[in-house]
Amino acid sequence: MKKNIARSLRVIELKSSDSKYKPFLENYLKRNNFDKSQIDKCFELQSCVFAKSYSSKKVEGLIFYSPQEWEKKILKKNVIRIIHILVDSGNYRRKHKIATLLLKKLLWSCKKNKIQCIVTRIEEERIPVIHALEGTGFNIIESFLTFKNDTFYVPQATDKIQVVLYKDSYIKYLKDIARLSFKYSRFHADPMISDRVAGLSRAEWIENACHGRADRVLVAKSRNQVVGFVACRSYTDKEGNKTGIIDLMATHHELKGQGVGTCLLKSALEYFLKQGCRDVIVGTQAKNIPSINLYIKCGFKLWKSQLTFINYLN
């Protein structure tokens, strides 16, 4: 007789007062190779549902999630993002069932707290979790690819484009480029979001980058006109290794394919190399073939493939 997985587990919503559960969750995160700083960041979220065995104190799966204030402002909806969904034990059936139980608990909590939208991004090889998301009302919006460059290969670039540091006088032009040049973003792919709102989201993104989100914003100019930008930031891992991130990049929609993107990437790679980064990562949608070809041309290699899911709660 097959064991009833649901009856063997208790699914709990963690509240800040439930400190008695934290040691079990910490052990589970350590088992999944989380270091102390990552564990601390999880508990800073103070939003978690987890599955615990009735017969033991063992945690068998969890979801950490966080409110998304920026998306709330853009979409005029209460939005949360699933930051981590972990189910690491058992066969496909057990993982799928545990993930489903966790998601149902999360959905119940979200409806109770008037959350209107949930978004998450999952590695494509995590089939049990993907099927659990699909079975609980989540829909795929995009396939998202992340590329990595650890060679700092600098491609040949046209000398007709000048790349300079951001100045406040450029902001209007950067926002206009961001608003009009993107068409493959997650917001643009979502049928529930208008193209106008999607464009405004990119304009606000680059404005935030210029005002502190990015470490540096580089601007492309041609004949004294602003024609593109790249926002650069970085993070340092627990071993002290620094990784550069291409946070947002765009070319004026009338100048695509004329070498502006190559010049921006060349300047970004040179900047990251000077900052002591060991590698650089950049992400884009799988259907954004022009960007993918540009990244490959500039020495990037495919590193990770994920699916973005969204669930609108009515």
Side-chain angles (χ1 to χ4, degrees):
M1 181 177 174
K2 289 184 178 180
K3 186 177 180 180
N4 190 312
I5 298 171
R7 290 182 181 178
S8 69
L9 296 172
R10 181 186 177 195
V11 181
I12 301 167
E13 182 179 5
L14 179 71
K15 297 182 174 63
S16 57
S17 59
D18 295 329
S19 58
K20 63 182 179 181
Y21 294 122
K22 287 187 179 179
F24 308 124
L25 293 170
E26 286 177 355
N27 288 334
Y28 184 73
L29 291 169
K30 287 176 183 176
R31 212 164 74 223
N32 281 274
N33 299 316
F34 280 59
D35 61 36
K36 185 180 184 305
S37 64
Q38 292 173 312
I39 292 171
D40 290 343
K41 285 180 182 178
C42 285
F43 286 115
E44 283 173 10
L45 301 175
Q46 294 187 343
S47 301
C48 175
V49 293
F50 63 97
K52 185 174 79 69
S53 171
Y54 272 116
S55 60
S56 69
K57 297 179 179 179
K58 182 181 177 183
V59 173
E60 299 207 29
L62 61 76
I63 292 174
F64 273 102
Y65 59 97
S66 174
Q68 300 296 290
E69 294 302 324
W70 181 75
E71 293 193 16
K72 177 182 178 180
K73 177 183 175 183
I74 296 292
L75 302 179
K76 307 293 191 264
K77 296 178 184 290
N78 291 323
V79 182
I80 68 165
R81 176 179 286 271
I82 296 176
I83 308 299
H84 299 292
I85 176 165
L86 301 176
V87 183
D88 68 343
S89 61
N91 56 18
Y92 166 89
R93 178 175 173 270
R94 185 171 186 83
K95 289 178 179 177
H96 177 265
K97 186 62 179 181
I98 293 172
T100 299
L101 291 170
L102 290 168
L103 288 166
K104 285 182 176 179
K105 182 72 171 183
L106 175 62
L107 289 168
W108 174 85
S109 176
C110 287
K111 289 176 181 177
K112 180 180 70 172
N113 292 297
K114 298 182 179 179
I115 300 299
Q116 297 159 289
C117 177
I118 309 172
V119 63
T120 191
R121 189 169 280 162
I122 299 293
E123 290 76 11
E124 288 200 42
E125 66 268 20
R126 299 186 64 194
I127 301 300
V129 175
I130 288 171
H131 288 172
L133 286 163
E134 291 173 329
T136 50
F138 287 79
N139 293 308
I140 295 174
I141 291 297
E142 65 177 8
S143 177
F144 190 82
L145 305 178
T146 303
F147 293 81
K148 179 184 285 189
N149 185 330
D150 56 10
T151 65
F152 290 90
Y153 165 76
V154 177
Q156 186 68 33
T158 176
D159 57 5
K160 295 180 181 179
I161 305 296
Q162 181 186 14
V163 178
V164 300
L165 292 177
Y166 165 77
K167 295 179 182 178
D168 288 343
S169 58
Y170 297 153
I171 189 64
K172 176 185 180 300
Y173 305 105
L174 302 190
K175 289 177 68 175
D176 285 344
I177 290 170
R179 182 172 55 83
L180 296 172
S181 67
F182 289 92
K183 60 180 179 179
Y184 298 111
S185 77
R186 193 253 298 176
F187 276 31
H188 288 84
D190 190 335
M192 301 296 289
I193 300 175
S194 69
D195 286 344
R196 183 187 70 84
V197 170
L200 289 174
S201 76
R202 303 306 99 174
E204 182 159 328
W205 190 331
I206 188 57
E207 184 173 25
N208 290 341
C210 293
H211 293 160
R213 173 182 167 89
D215 301 330
R216 177 162 294 189
V217 176
L218 302 171
V219 177
K221 297 184 73 177
S222 175
R223 298 179 181 177
N224 210 34
Q225 298 295 312
V226 173
V227 295
F229 63 80
V230 58
C232 307
R233 60 187 180 91
S234 63
Y235 75 90
T236 303
D237 65 19
K238 61 183 179 180
E239 281 85 28
N241 298 309
K242 196 172 183 181
T243 292
I245 302 170
I246 305 290
D247 196 45
L248 193 68
M249 189 174 78
T251 297
H252 192 287
H253 64 283
E254 293 180 354
L255 295 175
K256 291 183 182 294
Q258 296 186 31
V260 178
T262 302
C263 289
L264 286 166
L265 271 181
K266 176 180 183 292
S267 296
L269 287 168
E270 289 172 343
Y271 164 73
F272 286 127
L273 186 60
K274 289 177 182 177
Q275 296 303 305
C277 294
R278 66 170 183 175
D279 49 30
V280 179
I281 60 174
V282 63
T284 193
Q285 288 67 28
K287 61 186 175 182
N288 190 351
I289 304 302
S291 289
I292 291 171
N293 287 336
L294 173 63
Y295 299 143
I296 293 172
K297 169 188 171 183
C298 294
F300 287 81
K301 294 182 180 180
L302 183 61
W303 178 52
K304 187 163 51 177
S305 176
Q306 298 168 294
L307 297 173
T308 304
F309 286 86
I310 199 158
N311 191 339
Y312 286 98
L313 309 177
N314 298 319

